[in-house]
Amino acid sequence: MEIYRFAQEIILDAGEFIRNRMIEDFNIDSKLNANDLVTDVDKETEQFLFDKIEERYPQHRILGEEGAGADIEDADGVLWIIDPIDGTLNFVHQLENFAVSIGIYIDGKPYAGLILDVMKNDLYHAAFEQGAYKNDEVLHDIEESSLKSSLISTNANWLVREGINAPFIQVVKDARSVRSLGSAALEFVNVVRGTSSAALFFRLHPWDFAGGIILLNEVGGITTTLLGDEVRLLKTNSILAANKTIHGELTEYFRDDDSFIKNHKAFHKL
Ligand code: IPD
Ligand code: CA
Ligand code: CA
């Protein structure tokens, strides 16, 4: 549990680092396209966490969105998977609704998941089979629900993407309603807290889901691909994070659509 306690300390320190740093000017660059932004604060926060982990545990490996461990191809040993700022667009446009996310895996098995809502300074954390917490408060098992009586979260981009959007559109039609927060980690948190029953993504990277999967597991939820398959820890995946009842219901929408299956397979190089 020593690594878990250390992770709690440094993620809170990273939050303080971001809150202090964002008061000053920072540069904003684009990555793959004009809407894919990264700021100095993303990079500096990853470096901040990297330095702390490396100093304390030089033998641990670190995979981060902004470049740490870019050559990592297996999950051997202790692996930290870090998103220094999840929800960079919210960070830039809203100055809230963004998170630091950490998932720690040992030989590929879940060890601990931590997500910090930076501006609220709320830390969601869980160690494998030890329950999940919001700060010091225990989080209880989530309730089961069906789609027609549920709020779910997804990103509107998937609804306008031809080839994959048909099942998303039908899910939106059949749900009670849909919310979109703009931080995958905080969307996981909403499922963990039970304020949303499911979160659906066509594509996430390891740093977007590594912490959330462990947290959700501890409150009786489940995370798979949209087709119900096991998530590949070091690859991009589609993600369905949900309570078990709605999870079963939702996978049927995607499994019944041949065009979705074909495009999903090609996109994720399955
Ligand atoms: C993004 C956010 C967003 C999700 C994107 C992610 P970033 O992460 O989690 O909600 O829809 O797929 O890439 O780039 O802000 O760390
Ligand atoms: Ca992210
Ligand atoms: Ca990020």
Side-chain angles (χ1 to χ4, degrees):
M1 297 303 270
E2 183 200 302
I3 302 171
Y4 178 40
R5 275 194 293 274
F6 175 70
Q8 289 174 48
E9 257 170 54
I10 64 169
I11 197 170
L12 287 166
D13 290 347
E16 193 181 352
F17 173 83
I18 295 170
R19 289 190 301 273
N20 289 330
R21 179 64 182 81
M22 65 197 276
I23 298 165
E24 301 161 27
D25 287 347
F26 52 82
N27 282 318
I28 304 170
D29 289 324
S30 54
K31 294 201 275 191
L32 296 177
N33 60 60
N35 299 326
D36 182 14
L37 303 185
V38 61
T39 74
D40 291 347
V41 190
D42 297 64
K43 295 176 195 162
E44 289 168 22
T45 305
E46 180 161 309
Q47 191 64 46
F48 176 92
L49 287 165
F50 186 97
D51 290 345
K52 292 208 176 249
I53 298 162
E54 204 184 43
E55 190 190 354
R56 176 77 164 258
Y57 298 114
Q59 71 282 25
H60 290 189
R61 302 199 299 160
I62 305 161
L63 173 64
E65 175 168 20
E66 306 312 335
D71 54 350
I72 286 178
E73 284 182 355
D74 62 65
D76 294 348
V78 182
L79 177 64
W80 295 65
I81 304 180
I82 294 178
D83 196 338
I85 296 186
D86 181 64
T88 297
L89 289 179
N90 291 352
F91 175 69
V92 169
H93 287 266
Q94 305 177 333
L95 299 174
E96 62 181 356
N97 298 323
F98 59 90
V100 183
S101 174
I102 298 179
I104 307 172
Y105 290 76
I106 301 183
D107 292 329
K109 298 199 177 63
Y111 169 77
L114 304 97
I115 295 174
L116 178 72
D117 182 326
V118 176
M119 297 316 285
K120 293 185 179 147
N121 201 29
D122 280 332
L123 176 59
Y124 298 87
H125 57 99
F128 184 66
E129 292 187 339
Q130 304 292 317
Y133 295 82
K134 173 187 178 184
N135 303 316
D136 295 332
E137 178 196 324
V138 178
L139 295 172
H140 298 293
D141 276 5
I142 52 177
E143 285 179 17
E144 301 300 315
S145 68
S146 64
L147 184 59
K148 69 177 185 335
S149 58
S150 290
L151 283 187
I152 60 158
S153 351
T154 195
N155 183 325
N157 292 329
W158 309 128
L159 294 165
V160 293
R161 187 142 162 171
E162 277 172 33
I164 61 148
N165 58 354
F168 281 101
I169 291 170
Q170 198 55 48
V171 166
V172 169
K173 284 182 179 166
D174 293 350
R176 174 164 282 171
S177 196
V178 181
R179 299 288 179 267
S180 198
L181 188 54
S183 155
L186 293 180
E187 273 155 338
F188 258 97
V189 161
N190 281 342
V191 181
V192 170
R193 295 170 62 212
T195 54
S196 170
S197 296
L200 300 82
F201 309 88
F202 182 67
R203 183 200 55 198
L204 288 183
H205 290 96
W207 38 84
D208 300 316
F209 58 71
I213 287 183
I214 298 176
L215 273 155
L216 184 56
N217 213 28
E218 289 301 312
V219 291
I222 181 172
T223 308
T224 65
T225 70
L226 289 168
L227 293 168
D229 296 322
E230 198 178 324
V231 171
R232 301 175 303 164
L233 184 60
L234 297 178
K235 306 279 185 197
T236 69
N237 290 266
S238 67
I239 290 285
L240 172 55
N243 70 58
K244 286 179 180 144
T245 303
I246 197 172
H247 178 276
E249 203 181 334
L250 285 168
T251 50
E252 296 304 320
Y253 285 76
F254 296 91
R255 284 179 177 164
D256 285 351
D257 189 314
D258 291 342
S259 162
F260 177 85
I261 293 172
K262 185 168 140 263
N263 288 314
H264 180 272
K265 193 171 175 183
F267 189 90
H268 293 292
K269 301 189 177 70
L270 292 163

